[in-house]
């Protein structure tokens, strides 16, 4: 069950010149909750994520963290609050091993020297806690599968013990087995009381792991759905802005054929 409200957006708007990218966005993320953020291309998902991550600053509205207004001027501000973001490109260094990638920029040092033993021990502990299966923490990331690379990127985001983790299309271009591995990890993040924002175009993934589905359309809220009381057709209708689409027509034909 979801806990306290960790992150909230109140009336957030963002403009780029003559383009109104976001208008009066409302969003809440609770501890132990997976919020799927969905919408068509150009709906404003990326802009919203970057506003939370400190890449863009909202022109209007308030971002609240644990109930108090905060200003996120830069990505470091978001990280210090406890917001971690895993972008679609992952930003992993293929020539470095898993340990080096996990601690890149946050290396543990003792007397000014890298403490490889401590970093390897913590890496193993973190991966074990998340039930992440990697052949070795000392193999180059380049030798990992797409799914393994994705979970390493997510694990790296957890090094700073964030309260909210944002995942941008984490299963894009992954196979069935690799997708299942990533979705399992999303569920473990929820079990460990993290708030998760999952950006995805894959409705099967959304329905598999989300607790709440927030729909953006043309930069505005177009519905927030409790996954328990909605269905894929209703969400697609909110995404497209139409009640009549290919999915609903296919469903209607199926019902007619069964009569």
């Amino acid at each position: 069950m979801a806990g306290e409200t960790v992150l909230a957006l109140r009336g957030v708007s963002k403009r780029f010149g003559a383009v109104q990218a976001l208008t009066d966005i409302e969003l809440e993320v609770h501890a132990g909750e997976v919020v799927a953020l969905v919408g068509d291309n150009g709906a404003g998902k990326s802009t919203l994520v970057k506003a939370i991550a400190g890449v863009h600053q909202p022109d209007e509205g308030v971002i609240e963290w644990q109930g108090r207004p905060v200003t996120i001027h830069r990505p470091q501000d978001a990280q210090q609050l406890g917001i971690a973001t895993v972008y679609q490109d992952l930003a992993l260094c293929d020539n470095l091993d898993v340990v080096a990638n996990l601690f890149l920029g946050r290396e543990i040092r003792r007397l000014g020297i890298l403490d490889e033993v401590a970093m390897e021990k913590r890496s193993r502990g973190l991966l074990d806690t998340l039930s992440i299966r990697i052949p070795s923490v000392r193999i180059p990331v380049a030798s990992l599968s797409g799914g393994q690379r994705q979970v390493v990127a997510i694990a790296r985001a957890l090094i700073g013990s964030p309260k909210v983790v944002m995942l941008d299309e984490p299963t894009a271009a992954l196979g069935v087995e690799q997708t299942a591995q990533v979705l399992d990890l999303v569920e473990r993040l929820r079990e460990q009381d993290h708030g998760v924002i999952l950006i995805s175009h894959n409705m099967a993934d959304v329905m598999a792991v989300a607790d709440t589905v927030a729909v953006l359309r043309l930069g505005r809220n177009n519905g927030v759905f409790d996954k328990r009381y909605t269905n894929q057709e209703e969400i697609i209708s909110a995404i497209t802005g139409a009640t009549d689409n290919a999915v609903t027509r296919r469903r209607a034909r199926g019902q007619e054929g069964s009569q």
Side-chain angles (χ1 to χ4, degrees):
M1 181 176 293
E4 65 170 353
T5 301
V6 183
L7 173 70
L9 276 65
R10 312 291 187 194
V12 168
S13 298
K14 179 63 180 176
R15 175 185 291 274
F16 297 98
V19 178
Q20 187 73 38
L22 300 174
T23 304
D24 295 329
I25 296 297
E26 302 280 335
L27 182 71
E28 288 191 0
V29 181
H30 301 85
E33 177 186 33
V34 178
V35 177
L37 186 62
V38 301
D40 211 343
N41 292 332
K45 302 187 300 298
S46 295
T47 301
L48 182 56
V49 167
K50 290 178 179 178
I52 297 171
V55 177
H56 300 317
Q57 287 72 53
D59 297 322
E60 299 174 12
V62 175
I63 297 177
E64 294 180 356
W65 181 256
Q66 296 181 309
R68 62 183 180 88
V70 294
T71 301
I72 305 176
H73 290 293
R74 53 184 186 155
Q76 291 90 332
D77 295 338
Q79 293 167 9
Q80 289 171 4
L81 285 173
I83 301 171
T85 307
V86 180
Y87 293 104
Q88 196 169 346
D89 63 6
L90 303 184
L92 296 173
C93 296
D94 286 348
N95 60 314
L96 300 180
D97 62 23
V98 173
V99 174
N101 269 279
L102 290 178
F103 284 92
L104 191 62
R106 297 180 178 178
E107 293 83 357
I108 299 175
R109 298 178 184 273
R110 179 175 295 179
L111 301 177
I113 300 174
L114 290 180
D115 192 337
E116 295 285 355
V117 174
M119 289 190 291
E120 181 170 335
K121 182 177 180 180
R122 188 171 175 195
S123 296
R124 293 182 185 278
L126 176 61
L127 297 180
D128 288 345
T129 299
L130 297 171
S131 301
I132 294 175
R133 298 179 298 278
I134 299 292
S136 168
V137 294
R138 287 301 182 184
I139 62 173
V141 164
S143 64
L144 299 178
S145 69
Q148 289 171 332
R149 289 165 61 88
Q150 184 70 59
V151 295
V152 167
I154 296 172
R156 181 182 60 187
L158 299 179
I159 289 292
S161 301
K163 293 183 179 294
V164 170
V165 181
M166 297 194 292
L167 306 176
D168 185 9
E169 296 283 357
T171 60
L174 296 183
V176 174
E177 184 176 350
Q178 295 174 342
T179 294
Q181 183 180 15
V182 173
L183 295 181
D184 284 346
L185 178 52
V186 172
E187 292 187 330
R188 283 192 288 277
L189 293 178
R190 174 173 52 207
E191 291 167 2
Q192 294 178 11
D193 221 27
H194 294 284
V196 180
I197 299 177
L198 172 69
I199 298 90
S200 180
H201 282 96
N202 190 312
M203 292 307 301
D205 293 353
V206 167
M207 300 305 287
V209 298
D211 300 298
T212 303
V213 182
V215 178
L216 292 186
R217 176 168 167 75
L218 303 176
R220 297 176 179 270
N221 289 110
N222 204 39
V224 177
F225 303 89
D226 185 325
K227 200 276 295 286
R228 296 171 297 177
Y229 307 116
T230 189
N231 54 53
Q232 187 167 319
E233 289 78 14
E234 185 176 22
I235 294 171
I236 290 175
S237 294
I239 291 172
T240 61
T243 56
D244 180 41
N245 56 57
V247 175
T248 56
R249 289 195 295 272
R250 189 183 312 119
R251 186 183 186 196
R253 288 197 297 269
Q255 290 175 341
E256 291 171 0
S258 62
Q259 293 176 354

